[in-house]
Amino acid sequence: SAVISQKPSRDICQRGTSLTIQCQVDSQVTMMFWYRQQPGQSLTLIATANQGSEATYESGFVIDKFPISRPNLTFSTLTVSNMSPEDSSIYLCSVTSGRNTEAFFGQGTRLTVV
Amino acid sequence: AQSVTQPDIHITVSEGASLELRCNYSYGATPYLFWYVQSPGQGLQLLLKYFSGDTLVQGIKGFEAEFKRSQSSFNLRKPSVHWSDAAEYFCAVGSIQTGANNLFFGTGTRLTVIP
């Protein structure tokens, strides 16, 4: 199994600002992902964080809004840019070692935009 | 694209009673199926998964789930619920191509356990 640490665990931000969320894994992993869980909603995949290359975004999510970095096999960041109240969600980092494995999740970052 | 339906938003059971949480999926091939549990302020913890083989899968904490292809279902069961089982439960599905690398989640079922 993988132990995933996310920072910060929660934050309250002003609209128009940006927040960078960090995800640290205790071992090298092949795949890292970022999900969003809006209030009362399910989890939705934002993007796959690719090591050494640009992230792959799902439909409805763009790099300018959610820039992602993955400098190595144990670390990734997600930035929520130019925030609005609609960005208030829980953001979760997830890792797998391939499609035939399971996905492990961090504890999430609860973001409130005011 | 695949999708997941969890028809029950909220379920209340008495401690010691049996539990069944429903999950229906939409996908044209054999899916990868998962059940996760999320306690307040916590991340998601995997309860069990189905990729292939025996359609009755055993998970942690005494949970089991059965894949029924004819019903497109993957219901989660537990014979005797404990107060610590109170949490949010999510069913998730992955495709043959992406498996665990791109999960589609249901909207969750919140479980309340009463003494």
Side-chain angles (χ1 to χ4, degrees):
Chain A
S1 66
V3 177
I4 303 170
S5 299
Q6 275 187 242
K7 292 181 180 180
S9 58
R10 60 176 63 226
D11 207 342
I12 301 174
C13 299
Q14 297 291 322
R15 68 176 67 201
T17 63
S18 299
L19 176 71
T20 295
I21 303 168
Q22 298 180 1
C23 176
Q24 178 74 54
V25 190
D26 67 341
S27 58
Q28 293 186 345
V29 292
T30 308
M31 311 290 288
M32 295 184 77
F33 309 89
W34 288 97
Y35 284 80
R36 180 176 72 180
Q37 185 179 17
Q38 293 179 298
Q41 304 289 319
S42 183
L43 287 80
T44 302
L45 180 64
I46 298 172
T48 301
N50 300 310
Q51 196 264 329
S53 64
E54 204 168 271
T56 304
Y57 290 84
E58 298 300 308
S59 176
F61 298 97
V62 296
I63 186 171
D64 290 345
K65 178 66 176 176
F66 297 102
I68 288 170
S69 77
R70 189 175 174 193
N72 56 52
L73 292 175
T74 64
F75 187 78
S76 177
T77 66
L78 168 76
T79 298
V80 186
S81 302
N82 188 25
M83 288 183 286
S84 67
E86 292 70 35
D87 295 319
S88 297
S89 298
I90 299 174
Y91 293 86
L92 296 105
C93 173
S94 173
V95 304
T96 76
S97 294
R99 69 180 182 92
N100 288 328
T101 62
E102 63 184 81
F104 296 94
F105 287 83
Q107 81 278 16
T109 296
R110 182 180 295 272
L111 170 63
T112 302
V113 184
V114 297
Chain B
Q2 53 270 46
S3 66
V4 180
T5 301
Q6 293 181 247
D8 305 304
I9 296 173
H10 184 204
I11 285 183
T12 300
V13 299
S14 298
E15 191 168 14
S18 64
L19 172 69
E20 182 169 27
L21 302 182
R22 295 184 291 166
C23 172
N24 293 98
Y25 67 88
S26 174
Y27 182 58
T30 300
Y32 288 58
L33 294 163
F34 307 81
W35 273 101
Y36 283 88
V37 60
Q38 186 180 37
S39 299
Q42 303 294 314
L44 278 77
Q45 180 182 24
L46 180 72
L47 289 175
L48 45 79
K49 61 182 184 285
Y50 172 80
F51 292 170
S52 64
D54 192 346
T55 56
L56 182 64
V57 294
Q58 303 297 321
I60 63 172
K61 303 184 180 186
F63 285 94
E64 68 177 25
E66 186 171 12
F67 170 54
K68 293 186 177 180
R69 184 190 304 275
S70 62
Q71 298 177 20
S72 298
S73 69
F74 189 58
N75 294 346
L76 182 71
R77 300 192 294 252
K78 186 170 184 177
S80 178
V81 170
H82 188 262
W83 64 266
S84 60
D85 293 325
E88 187 94 19
Y89 291 80
F90 291 94
C91 181
V93 61
S95 71
I96 288 179
Q97 291 80 17
T98 59
N101 293 338
N102 185 348
L103 297 179
F104 288 80
F105 284 82
T107 50
T109 297
R110 183 160 60 93
L111 174 65
T112 297
V113 180
I114 56 177

